[in-house]
């Protein structure tokens, strides 16, 4: 059985790593090979990791400080250049302030994020679903 690979990291301006390590541990327990880039990971670093691991079925980005939208400003150009051709999953605290609304998610989808997760328990099923929808290394349009 082939090992499924994912790339994991925390958004560029975010140094919170506890959830990152818990996610890596949970995914490894599910049989995934996790390329964990850790905290403060730029879009360019995610793209470099994808170049090194083109078999990766997803890039998973966490954010706790609420600045994911600003941290992902380079995602559209990385997608357009073909440097990130796998689905991008984002989760955590995705906006600053106490009000969280659909507009926050829409801004992230507009940058090219494929899935916004609010519950970590949904991650394995989401990866399974994406695997059936998107062939490996197929371009994913920025929506």
């Amino acid at each position: 059985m082939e090992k499924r690979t994912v790339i994991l990291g925390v958004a560029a301006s975010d140094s919170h790593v506890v959830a990152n390590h818990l996610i890596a541990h949970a995914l490894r327990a599910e049989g995934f090979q996790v390329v964990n880039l850790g905290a403060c990971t730029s879009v360019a670093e995610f793209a470099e990791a994808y170049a090194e691991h083109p078999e990766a079925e997803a890039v998973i980005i966490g954010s706790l400080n609420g600045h994911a939208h600003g941290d992902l400003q380079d995602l559209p150009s990385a997608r357009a250049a073909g440097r990130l051709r796998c689905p991008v999953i984002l989760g955590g605290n995705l906006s600053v302030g106490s009000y969280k609304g659909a507009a926050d998610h829409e801004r992230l989808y507009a940058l090219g994020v494929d899935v916004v997760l609010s519950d970590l328990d949904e991650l394995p099923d989401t990866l399974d679903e994406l695997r059936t929808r998107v062939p490996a290394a197929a371009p994913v349009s920025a929506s």
Side-chain angles (χ1 to χ4, degrees):
M1 176 197 252
E2 78 178 86
K3 212 162 216 188
R4 297 169 64 186
T5 302
V6 294
I7 299 167
L8 174 66
V10 181
S13 69
D14 202 325
S15 62
H16 296 93
V17 293
V18 173
N20 172 272
H21 289 296
L22 293 172
I23 293 166
H25 179 74
L27 288 171
R28 287 183 181 119
E30 291 282 331
F32 284 89
Q33 174 183 335
V34 179
V35 178
N36 192 350
L37 304 178
C40 301
T41 307
S42 68
V43 170
E45 290 168 308
F46 282 114
E48 289 167 18
Y50 181 73
E52 293 173 17
H53 300 277
E55 75 282 7
E57 60 187 74
V59 166
I60 304 165
I61 304 171
S63 176
L64 189 61
N65 69 5
H67 296 285
H69 184 264
D71 290 338
L72 297 178
Q73 289 300 301
D74 294 336
L75 185 57
S77 61
R79 293 285 219 174
R83 296 187 65 221
L84 273 175
R85 296 185 297 150
C86 66
V88 174
I89 301 170
L90 180 66
N93 177 34
L94 305 178
S95 63
V96 178
S98 59
Y99 175 76
K100 310 293 180 190
D104 298 318
H105 291 187
E106 292 306 318
R107 290 180 346 141
L108 295 163
Y109 291 132
L111 286 176
V113 172
D114 295 285
V115 177
V116 175
L117 285 182
S118 57
D119 185 348
L120 174 60
D121 291 336
E122 297 173 0
L123 185 55
D125 288 340
T126 299
L127 288 166
D128 288 345
E129 180 186 329
L130 288 171
R131 191 173 200 204
T132 63
R133 285 192 329 197
V134 181
V140 176
S141 65
S143 49

